[in-house]
Amino acid sequence: MPSFSAGASTQKQQNYQRRRQQIREQRKSLPIASVEKRLVDEVRKNDTLIIVGETGSGKTTQLPQFLYDGGFCQDGKVIGITQPRRVAAVTVAKRVAEECNDQLGKKVGYSIRFDDSTSNATRIKYMTDGLLLREALLDPLLSKYSVIVVDEAHERTVHTDVLLGLLKKVQHSRANASKNGKTLPNVGHSQNLTQKACQGTRCAPLKLIIMSASLDAKCFSDYFGGAKTVHIQGRQYPVDILYTYQPESDYLDATLVTIFQIHLEEGPGDILAFLTGQEEIESLERLINERARLLPPESSKIWTAPIYSSLPSEQQMNAFKSASAGTRKVVLATNIAETSVTIPGIKYVIDPGMVKARAYNPVTGMESLIIIPVSKAQALQRSGRAGREGPGKCFRLFQESEFDKLVDSTVPEIKRCNLSNVVLQLKALGIDDIIGFDFMEKPSRTAILKSLEQLILLGALTDDYKLSDPVGHQMARLPLDPMYSKALIVSSEFKCLEEMLIVVSMLSVESILFFPREKIEEARAARKGFESSDGDHITLVNVYRAAAECLEKSKNANAKERTMDKALTRWCRENFINHRSLKHARDVHSQIQGHVQQMGLNQSSCGEDMALFRRCLTAAFFLNAAMRQPDGSYRALATSQSVQIHPSSGLFRTKPDCVIFNELVRTTQNYVKNLTRIDPLWLAELAPQYYATED
DNA sequence: GAGCACTGC
């Protein structure tokens, strides 16, 4: 026995040494490794540095370690690195912890919503950009950070843009604070918050590093007063770009033809085609499989793998599997494959040049999804997906002259979405002048005014645009759409917070009920069991409670957590409920419950009194009321738009006189979703400020 | 009788 165990441990030791050696070599071979000293020097010399690093440069994993070794974590200070996506924050943190030969959550950790793996010992902290914004509400000077690295800044998410504006301000405040010792200037931040944050600590200047993969670093540099820009080489194989000679009128058909052209004429390697949505993917998949049957028997086979975000995870995994010998994999993907996931084995990319994008009309306040041409940067990102493992080819299904006409980069999200949440956050950070705020790219004046107006109607702002006390402060603390935050506060007064907490949790996630085309009747029958004739909100409460009951039952049977989860998964399958969404809703529920407890809101249930709950829904969502018209259509009262009840609503057939709704989407026509029937008289009674009687 | 790019707190 002793000799055996000694052998095993020697073996283990050898494996360990080999792994360490492998990591050292991988790190040394990264393009960024050769410029470590120069980078650390530049960070020492410059308060703000822009780093342009192409894919594969190693900037995300290496730079924080260089800075740590360079002494930027002295006095317990932390290096924070923000990412636009949760999964990136987690995977990079795990990798860096391994490179540091340390347990995750010690020196290296990550923090994302619902999942915190940091400790007092954490010095290199990966997190989502939205989370850092939340931290700023509690510590406006972000005083524990010596360096903040904003990664993937070129993606220009709303969170990134707000964060950049905020960091610029924080940097000024901290620079002045350290110059003046303890007398603190008030640079936009509310005075008492700033003082509290700096009490007893010396606020050293904040180092900012903006990392971007796009070549267009000038906009970042300009924004930060001509900040120094450093370029780091990437490691990417060459990709041949091919254009069509003629314009293609039908990009779906052109994609189909190109897939078979590659399959029959090009060497081995998988294909990735970018489409705009689920419907296109499903129809192209059918077409490919029909045509694949006509291939000559001696030719190699084609295997299609769809991937888009609402596809259940097990089915998404298909796209990552390799095809069997003699078969070519064709991945049909939405934008999810552009940045969020990397699919191995891709040699050919097909880019029809279109994308489904969110659009916002600040006049009507309506968001919609429209299909538009991609930007140059996006086309570049897509073609890069062919060069991850070897030289590749990208087939752009448009002419080269069309490429030149594309916009350089995608319009930042902040210019095409509802800003209520952004404005509320900025107000809570003590930034009062929103119109004058130094955004990197300013949203339209109309959009800002629209959100200010909405926040006043919700009672978050006073008539002179100040954050109201306590409602505005409470609303800003809740990580929810402002209208949902307000609904919780209202429900506390109506004594039905328990029900409203369930409703806002369920409304905050992707759709809970799902209807597979092939089993539509079964799905409908399953929903009958939860359905309320009063409308969809109460149906959602019923679903949530039934799921909780299912979990409670298996808990009483002393089941282990895994068994409980299995029971719930099965229950979801039987009832045609999206398990991922339900789990997410339960996470949101428990997080928000913590917040409302701290705020001391009245946590009671309305019991069986659903009329009370509907009155509460009316008081909360009065801005979204619609009346039936003689022709059977509806009119949204706030905007006078003509709308229809979406067929997914339980009230689709009933057609009540008056409803409140939570979503207005424009597709083939204007649809309202998530409805509850109400008495029209309640509007004037419960929202007199808005529905003052006209006669 | 319709359908939802992708994220995030």
Side-chain angles (χ1 to χ4, degrees):
Chain A
M1 275 311 257
S3 67
F4 174 74
S5 80
S9 93
T10 314
Q11 183 64 41
K12 233 174 152 181
Q13 188 66 24
Q14 280 173 352
N15 285 344
Y16 171 79
Q17 290 301 346
R18 207 172 301 144
R19 180 76 185 134
R20 299 306 317 159
Q21 181 63 25
Q22 193 187 13
I23 287 175
R24 268 194 299 273
E25 280 165 16
Q26 280 171 351
R27 286 192 68 190
K28 252 201 325 220
S29 75
L30 288 166
I32 198 174
S34 57
V35 288
E36 170 168 359
K37 196 177 164 302
R38 192 182 140 213
L39 276 176
V40 174
D41 280 349
E42 292 292 3
V43 177
R44 278 209 192 92
K45 274 189 282 182
N46 300 284
D47 276 345
T48 307
L49 190 67
I50 319 289
I51 297 182
V52 177
E54 295 155 46
T55 320
S57 61
K59 59 187 184 338
T60 309
T61 54
Q62 304 308 302
L63 181 74
Q65 299 185 67
F66 296 167
L67 296 174
Y68 180 88
D69 294 338
F72 282 90
C73 291
Q74 277 163 7
D75 312 325
K77 291 285 190 222
V78 176
I79 300 169
I81 309 99
T82 71
Q83 296 288 329
R85 277 174 297 280
R86 294 162 55 92
V87 56
V90 176
T91 51
V92 176
K94 284 183 178 162
R95 169 72 197 184
V96 175
E98 195 192 4
E99 288 186 6
C100 294
N101 201 14
D102 197 5
Q103 227 179 324
L104 183 69
K106 296 276 183 55
K107 176 176 144 190
V108 184
Y110 67 85
S111 189
I112 59 178
R113 188 186 188 185
F114 309 132
D115 189 4
D116 181 14
S117 141
T118 59
S119 62
N120 286 336
T122 302
R123 294 293 167 267
I124 298 178
K125 175 174 167 186
Y126 288 89
M127 65 197 129
T128 45
D129 43 19
L131 196 107
L132 185 60
L133 274 176
R134 286 277 153 192
E135 271 188 21
L137 287 178
L138 303 171
D139 174 12
L141 288 181
L142 297 166
S143 48
K144 72 178 191 194
Y145 298 98
S146 56
V147 186
I148 287 174
V149 184
V150 180
D151 200 4
E152 313 284 6
H154 61 279
E155 289 193 24
R156 305 292 303 276
T157 66
V158 178
H159 286 157
T160 308
D161 270 29
V162 176
L163 192 58
L164 290 176
L166 181 70
L167 290 174
K168 189 172 170 179
K169 249 179 154 49
V170 170
Q171 202 177 32
H172 280 137
S173 308
R174 278 182 43 175
N176 293 337
S178 67
K179 244 182 261 160
N180 304 345
K182 274 194 175 171
T183 43
L184 291 164
N186 182 17
V187 192
H189 285 72
S190 72
Q191 190 94 37
N192 44 14
L193 277 178
T194 315
Q195 274 168 352
K196 208 161 84 191
C198 257
Q199 252 164 25
T201 60
R202 229 192 114 240
C203 280
L206 174 66
K207 295 284 184 184
L208 268 186
I209 299 170
I210 315 298
M211 303 211 288
S212 163
S214 85
L215 297 172
D216 176 34
K218 195 168 176 302
C219 60
F220 294 112
S221 172
D222 288 349
Y223 182 63
F224 286 100
K228 172 125 195 202
T229 305
V230 179
H231 289 261
I232 300 172
Q233 242 191 351
R235 201 167 47 183
Q236 176 86 349
Y237 294 93
V239 176
D240 264 348
I241 310 279
L242 298 119
Y243 294 91
T244 59
Y245 292 110
Q246 303 292 327
E248 296 289 344
S249 56
D250 179 347
Y251 64 80
L252 217 54
D253 184 62
T255 308
L256 181 68
V257 171
T258 310
I259 287 170
F260 280 90
Q261 199 179 320
I262 295 171
H263 186 56
L264 295 173
E265 294 169 15
E266 300 280 346
D270 295 335
I271 303 174
L272 169 62
F274 284 100
L275 298 162
T276 69
Q278 179 180 347
E279 209 177 301
E280 281 184 13
I281 289 175
E282 283 174 350
S283 83
L284 191 62
E285 198 178 12
R286 274 196 300 275
L287 291 170
I288 293 171
N289 290 327
E290 273 169 30
R291 196 171 285 195
R293 276 188 234 115
L294 305 176
L295 285 171
E298 69 276 10
S299 113
S300 61
K301 308 236 171 336
I302 273 192
W303 170 55
T304 52
I307 182 165
Y308 46 89
S309 86
S310 61
L311 193 72
S313 333
E314 315 87 73
Q315 292 173 52
Q316 285 191 6
M317 291 329 277
N318 276 333
F320 297 89
K321 293 181 187 151
S322 43
S324 48
T327 303
R328 193 194 297 270
K329 181 170 74 174
V330 179
V331 179
L332 305 174
T334 58
N335 262 5
I336 193 171
E338 212 176 87
T339 45
S340 306
V341 301
T342 299
I343 296 160
I346 300 299
K347 192 173 171 66
Y348 307 101
V349 162
I350 302 176
D351 181 11
M354 304 303 273
V355 64
K356 200 178 273 188
R358 172 178 300 168
Y360 177 65
N361 179 340
V363 179
T364 59
M366 192 151 85
E367 289 187 340
S368 56
L369 288 167
I370 50 171
I371 294 176
I372 54 167
V374 295
S375 63
K376 287 196 183 91
Q378 232 174 338
L380 207 67
Q381 173 71 20
R382 287 180 173 188
S383 60
R385 291 305 192 177
R388 300 284 294 198
E389 292 167 23
K393 276 189 184 178
C394 174
F395 297 80
R396 293 191 177 145
L397 304 181
F398 44 90
Q399 293 168 283
E400 193 161 6
S401 56
E402 289 302 309
F403 179 82
D404 297 331
K405 288 183 207 156
L406 297 176
V407 295
D408 285 344
S409 41
T410 312
V411 178
E413 196 187 1
I414 201 161
K415 295 187 91 171
R416 47 192 175 89
C417 73
N418 178 321
L419 292 173
S420 301
N421 223 339
V422 169
V423 171
L424 186 61
Q425 292 304 307
L426 290 175
K427 288 274 178 190
L429 286 163
I431 293 157
D432 262 336
D433 179 13
I434 308 291
I435 302 249
F437 183 68
D438 182 16
F439 285 103
M440 199 167 142
E441 231 163 297
K442 218 183 259 293
S444 78
R445 200 184 156 84
T446 323
I448 295 176
L449 290 175
K450 179 84 185 174
S451 56
L452 286 169
E453 178 199 357
Q454 199 204 2
L455 290 170
I456 289 177
L457 285 168
L458 290 175
L461 300 181
T462 59
D463 287 340
D464 54 352
Y465 302 104
K466 294 269 186 296
L467 201 61
S468 69
D469 196 25
V471 172
H473 286 98
Q474 287 176 326
M475 284 174 66
R477 265 182 65 186
L478 293 167
L480 288 170
D481 180 300
M483 206 183 266
Y484 294 166
S485 303
K486 179 61 188 298
L488 286 177
I489 295 167
V490 170
S491 71
S492 167
E493 292 155 21
F494 276 74
K495 301 200 171 36
C496 53
L497 186 115
E498 190 180 307
E499 285 75 14
M500 191 63 92
L501 184 55
I502 295 176
V503 164
V504 300
S505 305
M506 297 287 260
L507 290 174
S508 295
V509 303
E510 289 285 293
S511 109
I512 291 277
L513 308 167
F514 87 124
F515 295 91
R517 208 167 293 175
E518 57 288 7
K519 289 184 184 167
I520 194 100
E521 282 311 318
E522 278 175 73
R524 217 170 273 156
R527 189 168 80 169
K528 278 274 177 290
F530 309 110
E531 204 152 68
S532 158
S533 58
D534 284 330
D536 307 317
H537 295 96
I538 296 173
T539 304
L540 288 175
V541 173
N542 294 341
V543 170
Y544 188 92
R545 285 184 169 155
E549 202 179 307
C550 161
L551 276 170
E552 198 58 34
K553 258 190 213 147
S554 57
K555 193 175 170 188
N556 289 342
N558 281 324
K560 292 210 179 75
E561 200 161 318
R562 254 190 74 197
T563 326
M564 280 168 62
D565 195 55
K566 266 192 184 155
L568 187 65
T569 311
R570 200 177 134 202
W571 182 87
C572 284
R573 201 169 44 231
E574 286 166 359
N575 289 289
F576 295 90
I577 283 157
N578 186 329
H579 179 242
R580 195 169 37 181
S581 299
L582 182 71
K583 192 179 169 306
H584 191 186
R586 291 177 56 84
D587 284 339
V588 174
H589 186 277
S590 87
Q591 188 192 32
I592 305 297
Q593 192 163 43
H595 281 290
V596 295
Q597 261 162 13
Q598 276 181 8
M599 289 179 188
L601 294 184
N602 179 359
Q603 299 218 46
S604 44
S605 159
C606 60
E608 299 295 308
D609 192 354
M610 284 305 155
L612 175 78
F613 185 50
R614 283 159 54 221
R615 285 169 60 84
C616 178
L617 287 166
T618 309
F621 301 127
F622 63 91
L623 283 172
N624 294 342
M627 292 286 282
R628 195 177 65 187
Q629 303 300 296
D631 67 354
S633 73
Y634 283 76
R635 190 167 62 88
L637 297 181
T639 57
S640 292
Q641 279 169 301
S642 172
V643 298
Q644 304 284 339
I645 294 184
H646 193 275
S648 65
S649 168
L651 297 183
F652 177 66
R653 282 179 206 186
T654 339
K655 288 198 183 288
D657 288 339
C658 186
V659 294
I660 51 101
F661 59 87
N662 275 113
E663 213 183 330
L664 202 168
V665 292
R666 179 173 180 84
T667 52
T668 46
Q669 42 188 335
N670 295 336
Y671 283 110
V672 284
K673 294 163 92 168
N674 293 319
L675 323 171
T676 283
R677 69 176 180 88
I678 61 161
D679 185 330
L681 294 176
W682 292 349
L683 287 170
E685 180 196 338
L686 300 169
Q689 73 282 23
Y690 198 67
Y691 293 102
T693 43
E694 279 153 30
D695 42 18

